[in-house]
Amino acid sequence: MLPNASIPHYWMLILRIMAATLGGYIVAALFSVAVLSLPLDIMMSLRIGMMGSFIIWAGVATWSFITSSLIRLWGAIGLATCGLLLVANYGIH
């Protein structure tokens, strides 16, 4: 693991802001697409996807400034992205 002392402080802040904005957007957008594969009515799936995406984006943005490890943060965003891509492509059915 890279120690945090080798990266300047402003780069760590930039990486956290990118995780909050871009990472949160990617995870929230993939969640709203993945919800469409649920065996529900299409309007209910759209509502769940829209409401859930706002909650997920706010959660990722909050967590990106609370956590102490950037590696764990970006790893969790990547893992959530891969999982939601699988669900969006293949569905739950």
Side-chain angles (χ1 to χ4, degrees):
M1 249 191 236
L2 296 172
N4 288 339
S6 66
I7 301 174
H9 181 61
Y10 58 88
W11 279 111
M12 292 182 61
L13 182 62
I14 289 172
L15 287 173
R16 288 183 190 274
I17 291 171
M18 285 178 57
T21 55
L22 296 176
Y25 176 75
I26 290 169
V27 173
L30 285 175
F31 174 78
S32 64
V33 172
V35 166
L36 294 175
S37 67
L38 289 174
L40 296 172
D41 182 31
I42 189 70
M43 291 305 293
M44 182 60 78
S45 295
L46 287 173
R47 289 181 186 135
I48 291 171
M50 285 177 16
M51 295 296 206
S53 67
F54 290 118
I55 294 169
I56 287 173
W57 197 349
V60 170
T62 303
W63 186 55
S64 67
F65 291 104
I66 290 175
T67 188
S68 61
S69 174
L70 282 173
I71 296 171
R72 187 178 300 144
L73 171 66
W74 282 103
I77 289 173
L79 187 66
T81 300
C82 291
L84 288 170
L85 273 173
L86 284 174
V87 172
N89 282 335
Y90 298 113
I92 297 177
H93 303 92

